[in-house]
Amino acid sequence: MPFPPPPRTLPGPRRRSLLASAAGAALLVGCSNGADDAEDTAGSPSADERARARAASDSEALLRRYDAVLAAHPTLAARLNPLRTEVVRHATAFGGGSSGSTATTSPTTAASPSASAAPGTESDALAGLAAAERDLADRRAKALLDLPGELARLLASVAAAGAAHAYLLTEGAK
């Protein structure tokens, strides 16, 4: 059975149209182009940018440690170069260093690090690298809890890689 037409049609917009328009206007008012946000922070970097910069800096410091060990113990090159290459990729992923120069600079052509940066024996040097990788992985795992989506996933991935590096560095001693 069909419904009868309304008794009379009122001129003007219908109730549904008004509600849809009001909802759309409320959504538009809530949106911004980000200009106000930038003015409120007065040019200070966001939490994401600070976290990226810190992660890049940490990876670059770890890279310097790898370079110091490789300079002091060149016989470890076959074992450490693949891990060092990954650390370069991590630093680049966080926006650190230049994308090509750090990756192509070999540890022997890099500025020679001080001899005191690497322990005297190979096993001590490997243990030191493993401890540095483990410590950094732990710090990154804790830091990712405060970060949003994509950056948290990247940090989690790099933390897992660091934990794997620590494992690989300690497994050779067994």
Side-chain angles (χ1 to χ4, degrees):
M1 166 169 161
F3 291 104
R8 75 179 184 167
T9 306
L10 299 173
R14 298 206 166 168
R15 185 172 28 182
R16 271 189 235 154
S17 299
L18 288 174
L19 289 174
S21 297
L27 286 173
L28 287 175
V29 169
C31 296
S32 74
N33 63 3
D36 294 335
D37 296 339
E39 291 171 9
D40 290 342
T41 60
S44 66
S46 70
D48 290 359
E49 291 167 344
R50 287 190 308 270
R52 279 186 181 277
R54 185 173 43 255
S57 175
D58 289 345
S59 290
E60 289 166 350
L62 185 60
L63 179 62
R64 286 189 298 275
R65 189 159 186 160
Y66 269 92
D67 289 345
V69 169
L70 285 166
H73 306 287
T75 57
L76 294 174
R79 184 171 179 189
L80 296 182
N81 279 336
L83 301 177
R84 180 192 181 277
T85 301
E86 288 300 311
V87 172
V88 170
R89 290 179 60 204
H90 298 160
T92 304
F94 290 118
S98 58
S99 60
S101 65
T102 307
T104 59
T105 303
S106 71
T108 56
T109 60
S112 64
S114 66
S116 63
T121 67
E122 287 183 1
S123 62
D124 288 345
L126 291 173
L129 275 176
E133 286 272 17
R134 196 175 305 108
D135 178 56
L136 184 55
D138 290 345
R139 284 188 287 137
R140 286 177 169 165
K142 289 176 187 163
L144 70 90
L145 298 174
D146 299 327
L147 297 173
E150 192 60 35
L151 183 55
R153 285 187 287 277
L154 176 61
L155 201 60
S157 175
V158 173
H165 289 184
Y167 174 79
L168 292 171
L169 288 166
T170 56
E171 275 304 298
K174 292 183 180 179

